[in-house]
Amino acid sequence: RADLGDVGNAYASAVRDALQAEGAEVLEVNQKPDGYSLTPTSVQVAASLWTANAGIILLFGAPKGTDALGRNVPHEFGFLQGQGKPILLLIEDGHSDILREWTNISGVRAPRFPSGAMAMKKDDDWSIYGIIRQFMETTRNAGRS
């Protein structure tokens, strides 16, 4: 597991907590801060993406000198998309510029969550918890059709 910094670790914990509260099993993959290599290996990443029922990609403001998007996030998104799996691209409000270099992302639903403590409010529809709750409900309902 890569160190995401205090804010990133708090956001990742909120995502895990929100998913577990919804009864989901969490398979987690994090990039190292340099954005070029993965822990665990690429084979393990592909195996996790293959077995997952859905995916959540968390993007937030990266420390200066690092690439928040990295080289792998678009590939992982495409891997999930190619399998027809539901994907939530979850972005910290104010950091949409992260997507500027991602040329094929236009039209993808990517809700923004507020930064800081507001992101952690369990009862707010626009917090990480609220957005994941909505995503899980939509995903479960889609599976019933």
Side-chain angles (χ1 to χ4, degrees):
R1 175 162 155 68
D3 180 24
L4 304 174
D6 292 341
V7 172
N9 284 323
Y11 291 159
S13 289
V15 169
R16 271 191 308 278
D17 293 347
L19 286 167
Q20 289 168 346
E22 293 294 317
E25 182 181 338
V26 178
L27 298 170
E28 189 171 355
V29 178
N30 289 319
Q31 284 186 299
K32 287 184 179 178
D34 67 5
Y36 294 102
S37 52
L38 289 173
T39 302
T41 68
S42 297
V43 172
Q44 292 167 315
V45 171
S48 292
L49 294 174
W50 190 261
T51 61
N53 294 323
I56 296 177
I57 296 175
L58 172 65
L59 297 175
F60 56 91
K64 287 223 181 270
T66 63
D67 180 3
L69 187 58
R71 291 183 170 183
N72 298 307
V73 170
H75 296 287
E76 292 158 3
F77 185 93
F79 190 92
L80 290 166
Q81 189 178 40
Q83 295 178 52
K85 295 181 180 185
I87 308 166
L88 174 61
L89 183 58
L90 188 58
I91 303 173
E92 182 182 19
D93 194 30
H95 295 285
S96 297
D97 58 325
I98 292 170
L99 302 177
R100 227 178 289 156
E101 294 181 28
W102 194 349
T103 58
N104 65 344
I105 200 66
S106 182
V108 170
R109 183 173 175 269
R112 306 321 193 252
F113 65 90
S115 57
M118 294 297 291
M120 310 304 175
K121 290 191 157 221
K122 292 183 179 181
D123 59 347
D124 187 312
D125 287 343
W126 294 108
S127 70
I128 289 172
Y129 290 88
I131 293 170
I132 287 178
R133 222 176 2 260
Q134 293 168 33
F135 174 69
M136 292 297 293
E137 183 178 326
T138 302
T139 301
R140 280 193 286 264
N141 289 339
R144 292 184 191 149
S145 345

